[in-house]
Amino acid sequence: LLLQGELLRQERDDAGWDPVAGYTRSRTQALGGYVYADFNWATRYNAGLSFEAFEQPAAGTPVEQSVGAFAGLALLEETTVFRADWRRHVPDGGTAFDVFTLRVIFSMGPHKAHQF
């Protein structure tokens, strides 16, 4: 089981100029992060879940979120992998949409010797 996560926080001061008031300063804050779990229950099979959410660095913006699930199969070894991936994305206060992706990952290069 592989668990991974990250939390990000941004706090910044924006300087500006107002002809009447002179120099101005405004503070913006944003928070975001993700959590990822990948379970490899056999040599060739794995599945997992993910969740992410973040705010745009501007005052009063809604939180953008995404949740997903995937399942994968490695045929002969780790150089050829098939993965089906589903993700539901909810943009900034907009209408949610789903994305389904089928990936084939093939890599060449050094790898362990084949057993015959």
Side-chain angles (χ1 to χ4, degrees):
L1 176 66
L2 170 71
L3 296 174
Q4 186 176 356
E6 187 173 53
L7 180 65
L8 303 168
R9 182 175 181 266
Q10 178 191 36
E11 184 174 322
R12 95 177 166 222
D13 291 334
D14 294 324
W17 175 256
D18 184 343
V20 176
Y23 288 107
T24 61
R25 184 181 84 175
S26 62
R27 175 167 290 192
T28 58
Q29 297 178 352
L31 188 66
Y34 75 94
V35 177
Y36 171 83
D38 184 1
F39 182 63
N40 194 341
W41 71 87
T43 304
R44 298 181 180 177
Y45 304 101
N46 74 323
L49 301 169
S50 66
F51 174 77
E52 65 180 281
F54 64 91
E55 298 172 317
Q56 295 292 336
T61 59
V63 176
E64 193 162 330
Q65 296 181 7
S66 179
V67 63
F70 66 88
L73 165 69
L75 289 182
L76 299 174
E77 55 191 30
E78 65 276 0
T79 59
T80 305
V81 177
F82 294 91
R83 178 175 282 175
D85 184 23
W86 165 79
R87 180 162 298 278
R88 181 163 184 83
H89 188 74
V90 182
D92 298 348
T95 304
F97 61 92
D98 297 315
V99 176
F100 182 77
T101 308
L102 179 60
R103 288 185 256 179
V104 178
I105 303 169
F106 177 75
S107 62
M108 297 279 297
H111 57 280
K112 61 185 177 185
H114 298 278
Q115 296 178 358
F116 295 103

